[in-house]
Amino acid sequence: MSDTLELVIITGMSGAGKTVAVQSFEDLGFYCIDNMPPTLLPTFWELVKESGKITKIALVIDLRTRDFFNELENIIGTLDNTQFITTRVLFLEASDEALVSRYKESRRSHPLANEGRVLEGIQKERALLHDLRTRAQIVVDTTDKTPRELRTFITQQFSSIEHNTFHIEVVSFGFKYGAPIDADVMMDVRFLPNPHYVPELRPQTGQDPEVYEYVMKQPETEEFYTKFIDLIEYCLPGYKREGKSSVTIAIGCTGGQHRSVALAERITARLRSDQYTVNVSHRDQHKRKESTTRS
């Protein structure tokens, strides 16, 4: 465990981007908690310190906890004086015009507007948060920032060198069991010669050397793989530039046992050699065996 626990408090104006911010911290590997009363912070940190498993935490504190705002500054000061915790406050704000526009678009009511105008609630909130804004180490004006630009800013400010925020999931599947709903890129390889029709290969999977070799020695497999991996390697830097934290590549064949498994393994090995962080899973490769066992 690291000697120092890192605490980031995310706060600021309602509608200024706290939801985007906390999602960005989750992508950076922070343990995130929304709407924790500040009075619970010291106790919470004692539990974290004793567990020794969590080293980076981001907490969202907003007007839902406004009864605790008067105590927040003292609590942050107390935490700053410990040798175990490094505390930073990230304050998000935007112009009155931008916040009014966002509330109009979302059709939500401002928590301080009551029966009055949205602008009145924003002005009350700005006054309430004035001291906390002064206390913040990082103040970000999101008036002209897109969500992607805010994520990029947070990544640059808070990511550690050893933490790779972009990763790739490669999954093989069988179309007979349904396509994955979370795929960013999906490829159907049912046009390739099928090892299922080779009796000695039928019970094996694409992870077995005999099946893998059978699939890869087909001329159409090599031509497909070359074109497909060129496309993927071309697209991945663009996904990163657009702020995606992960990309899921799904490779499907009929039953998800042979062709898709073999190609998923080869694609994974290639992308890892390109220095990407890649996880591979084979959703359906044992489905046929399980079905045969049950029957």
Side-chain angles (χ1 to χ4, degrees):
M1 174 183 157
S2 171
D3 291 334
T4 302
L5 303 176
E6 183 177 0
L7 168 63
V8 178
I9 295 176
I10 306 167
T11 189
M13 300 293 293
S14 301
K18 290 191 290 293
T19 298
V20 172
V22 74
Q23 291 170 348
S24 302
F25 279 101
E26 287 177 346
D27 291 340
L28 290 173
F30 280 71
Y31 184 86
C32 297
I33 302 176
D34 192 9
N35 194 26
M36 171 176 280
T39 49
L40 297 182
L41 284 177
T43 302
F44 173 72
W45 272 106
E46 285 300 318
L47 294 174
V48 170
K49 188 170 63 176
E50 290 176 8
S51 74
K53 297 180 180 179
I54 302 174
T55 60
K56 300 190 297 183
I57 297 179
L59 303 179
V60 179
I61 297 177
D62 58 22
L63 278 179
R64 289 169 293 176
T65 54
R66 59 184 178 273
D67 291 340
F68 301 98
F69 269 132
N70 292 334
E71 305 171 48
L72 180 57
E73 186 168 354
N74 291 333
I75 292 171
I76 292 175
T78 301
L79 293 176
D80 281 343
N81 288 329
T82 70
Q83 60 178 317
F84 300 105
I85 303 171
T86 298
T87 308
R88 284 187 284 179
V89 177
L90 171 64
F91 189 97
L92 302 176
E93 64 179 4
S95 68
D96 289 351
E97 293 79 6
L99 294 174
V100 169
S101 176
R102 292 170 190 176
Y103 269 99
K104 293 293 185 183
E105 290 176 4
S106 67
R107 299 185 179 181
R108 295 172 54 219
S109 60
H110 191 279
L112 293 183
N114 296 325
E115 300 300 322
R117 298 163 56 203
V118 170
L119 181 58
E120 293 175 355
I122 292 171
Q123 291 170 342
K124 291 178 183 178
E125 181 181 27
R126 202 179 294 281
L128 177 65
L129 297 179
H130 178 268
D131 291 342
L132 186 56
R133 182 190 185 283
T134 303
R135 174 66 177 78
Q137 288 88 354
I138 302 175
V139 178
V140 182
D141 188 334
T142 66
T143 299
D144 298 316
K145 275 186 166 53
T146 65
R148 180 170 67 87
E149 290 170 338
L150 178 57
R151 290 190 185 98
T152 299
F153 174 85
I154 291 172
T155 298
Q156 293 171 343
Q157 290 290 317
F158 293 93
S159 64
S160 56
I161 295 175
E162 70 275 8
H163 184 81
N164 188 346
T165 62
F166 182 80
H167 68 279
I168 302 165
E169 300 289 334
V170 179
V171 57
S172 68
F173 71 96
F175 277 99
K176 67 187 292 184
Y177 303 111
I181 63 174
D182 59 343
D184 297 297
V185 179
M186 185 181 301
M187 181 54 63
D188 181 351
V189 297
R190 287 177 290 185
F191 66 91
L192 298 176
N194 193 350
H196 175 79
Y197 297 109
V198 180
E200 61 270 26
L201 299 182
R202 185 174 301 172
Q204 300 184 53
T205 77
Q207 290 184 295
D208 291 307
E210 296 83 2
V211 174
Y212 185 91
E213 182 180 354
Y214 176 89
V215 173
M216 295 307 161
K217 75 179 181 181
Q218 309 300 324
E220 50 265 68
T221 300
E222 190 61 31
E223 184 176 0
F224 160 75
Y225 170 78
T226 299
K227 293 180 178 180
F228 183 68
I229 200 66
D230 282 349
L231 174 64
I232 292 299
E233 289 177 328
Y234 173 80
C235 292
L236 289 176
Y239 285 127
K240 291 183 68 175
R241 286 193 301 270
E242 288 301 307
K244 287 184 69 67
S245 60
S246 67
V247 171
T248 298
I249 302 170
I251 310 295
C253 61
T254 303
Q257 180 180 342
H258 300 113
R259 294 164 291 182
S260 62
V261 173
L263 279 160
E265 289 288 332
R266 185 173 180 183
I267 290 167
T268 296
R270 173 62 173 263
L271 295 179
R272 284 175 176 165
S273 73
D274 291 339
Q275 305 304 309
Y276 287 106
T277 299
V278 190
N279 298 317
V280 63
S281 60
H282 304 295
R283 193 190 71 178
D284 302 324
Q285 71 169 331
H286 296 301
K287 287 280 182 67
R288 181 177 176 273
K289 183 181 298 185
E290 293 168 358
S291 176
T292 302
T293 301
R294 286 195 296 269
S295 59

